[in-house]
Amino acid sequence: MIRTIAAAAALALLPGLALAQAGSPTAACTHRGALDDAFCDEDRDLVADPPREAGRLRNPSTLVFAYTPVEDPALYATQFRPLLEHLSACTGKRVVYFQVTSNAAQVEAMRSGRLHIAGFSTGPTAFAVNLAGAVPFAIKGNEREFESYRVVVLARASSDIRTLADLRGRRVAHTSATSNSGNLAPRALFPALGVTPDTDYRVVYSGGHDRSVMGVNAGDYDAAPVASDVYNRMVGRGQVRAENLREVWRSDPFPTSSFAHAHDLQPELAQRIRQCFFDYRFPEAMRRDLGGNDRFWPATYLREWAPVRAVADAVNAPYTRAAFDAESRRELEAEARRRAAQQQQQAPRPQ
């Protein structure tokens, strides 16, 4: 039986407070790398090892799944329903969908033990690995290859913005501070191309790729760097018309969202979950909604996320607790501003 869990509990988590402990640090651990003290990486594959103590391995009767909130969170509850039904039949366990509205809430949910399987956006995947013990194992794809995306800079087709140089002096929407395509990659790549964010143009955080696209389309922003896969899905669904927007620039490819499980699941359960993903073939509606992809490809954080880590290193944006807390505060502040603006727009005007 598949159900959606309200996200209110996750959103109530306040940044700046200590994250829930995923387990006490292992005194015998000889290597953690970039991982939080709650985890160990003895095999040096950059992700958390399963706990050595049998009593810390989990075999929950209900599995909780969440997908990255890069677009309308409610949209994915419907799109991923066939997958969750498959996982329920394949694992013999009840599977529920956990609807989150921020990257920080999703990472915190896995760290606190409330989330067992998740699709994390490209950039926040590293926070999930380092702080929440996430173990990425798959990427969406088709029969030929796994899906990748590019950073595309969009402007209105009617504007005079035709090159990156034309962004100077403009109001440009970045999605969120932790987003690879919506913030980190532009900050790493644009200066070599002659444009430096926050120096040559004003950065405004929109809160999401879909919000950036819709904001450019409406004229709220002059331009925006976004993930090409999100933009293409929005065009395919008719949310925006491609002829109304101009693609100013595009990057080399990056991996799309990772699918990961919690590091402390019983090994047999973790292996079963991975195999359930790899054996699954998307039904027609799911293929259409997810850009023509029809399956999951094996992937590792060590290999597929190397270019993402390189971008973060280039802009000195480490995936640490301090950076996570700062991003959490920014996400909550941005959401509060959006809600205030919506309330102001909806308020009755004096007669």
Side-chain angles (χ1 to χ4, degrees):
M1 181 178 183
I2 312 300
R3 295 181 180 175
T4 300
I5 300 178
L11 292 178
L13 295 166
L14 295 177
L17 296 178
L19 292 171
Q21 288 297 314
S24 58
T26 304
C29 181
T30 61
H31 180 76
R32 289 191 175 90
L35 301 181
D36 187 82
D37 287 347
F39 312 111
C40 194
D41 180 25
E42 297 285 11
D43 60 6
R44 297 176 184 260
D45 62 356
L46 304 187
V47 299
D49 299 335
R52 294 176 179 177
E53 303 88 344
R56 291 179 56 202
L57 292 170
R58 294 188 295 156
N59 186 21
S61 59
T62 297
L63 295 174
V64 181
F65 173 90
Y67 191 66
T68 174
V70 294
E71 299 173 67
D72 179 5
L75 185 67
Y76 289 118
T78 299
Q79 290 182 348
F80 280 98
R81 181 178 293 273
L83 171 63
L84 269 61
E85 291 173 344
H86 164 74
L87 289 176
S88 181
C90 184
T91 62
K93 295 177 178 290
R94 181 170 177 256
V95 182
V96 297
Y97 190 93
F98 186 28
Q99 185 172 304
V100 294
T101 57
S102 75
N103 295 315
Q106 187 185 25
V107 172
E108 168 60 20
M110 180 163 282
R111 180 174 174 88
S112 66
R114 291 178 290 120
L115 185 59
H116 308 114
I117 313 169
F120 291 101
S121 186
T122 301
T125 289
F127 277 121
V129 167
N130 289 353
L131 302 181
V135 181
F137 64 89
I139 304 178
K140 300 188 300 293
N142 54 43
E143 61 181 3
R144 298 180 304 279
E145 59 189 359
F146 66 76
E147 182 184 37
S148 61
Y149 74 88
R150 298 171 186 268
V151 181
V152 294
V153 176
L154 300 176
R156 296 186 74 180
S158 59
S159 79
D160 59 355
I161 299 175
R162 298 184 177 277
T163 68
L164 287 183
D166 296 329
L167 297 182
R168 292 190 180 93
R170 307 297 181 120
R171 191 168 184 261
V172 179
H174 286 206
T175 58
S176 66
T178 60
S179 173
N180 181 71
S181 54
N183 184 56
L184 297 180
R187 290 184 183 277
L189 302 175
F190 286 6
L193 300 172
V195 179
T196 301
D198 281 326
T199 298
D200 293 317
Y201 64 75
R202 179 187 174 193
V203 171
V204 181
Y205 288 110
S206 70
H209 293 269
D210 56 339
R211 289 170 175 169
S212 287
V213 174
M214 296 301 290
V216 172
N217 188 65
D220 297 331
Y221 312 119
D222 297 311
V226 298
S228 61
D229 57 334
V230 176
Y231 172 55
N232 291 337
R233 286 196 297 269
M234 294 179 70
V235 171
R237 289 195 295 263
Q239 291 177 275
V240 292
R241 299 180 63 174
E243 58 266 31
N244 292 339
L245 297 169
R246 174 184 299 127
E247 185 179 303
V248 176
W249 177 86
R250 64 168 40 209
S251 73
D252 291 333
F254 290 94
T256 57
S257 53
S258 67
F259 289 82
H261 62 70
H263 80 294
D264 58 354
L265 298 181
Q266 286 190 353
E268 297 81 6
L269 174 59
Q271 178 57 38
R272 184 60 185 160
I273 290 170
R274 291 194 292 268
Q275 196 60 52
C276 291
F277 268 77
F278 299 145
D279 290 343
Y280 185 59
R281 294 296 178 266
F282 301 1
E284 182 178 353
M286 192 171 169
R287 287 198 303 270
R288 183 179 61 250
D289 291 338
L290 297 178
N293 295 302
D294 68 349
R295 67 193 69 196
F296 294 100
W297 279 68
T300 67
Y301 181 69
L302 177 65
R303 183 179 60 245
E304 274 71 31
W305 259 255
V308 179
R309 296 193 302 273
V311 162
D313 290 343
V315 295
N316 192 27
Y319 294 104
T320 61
R321 173 79 65 83
F324 176 82
D325 287 344
E327 169 59 10
S328 299
R329 285 190 292 271
R330 281 191 290 265
E331 286 188 337
L332 287 176
E333 291 167 358
E335 183 63 26
R337 287 193 297 271
R338 283 192 294 271
R339 289 182 178 179
Q342 290 175 352
Q343 292 174 355
Q344 186 176 10
Q345 292 176 351
Q346 295 170 359
R349 296 181 178 179
Q351 301 294 323

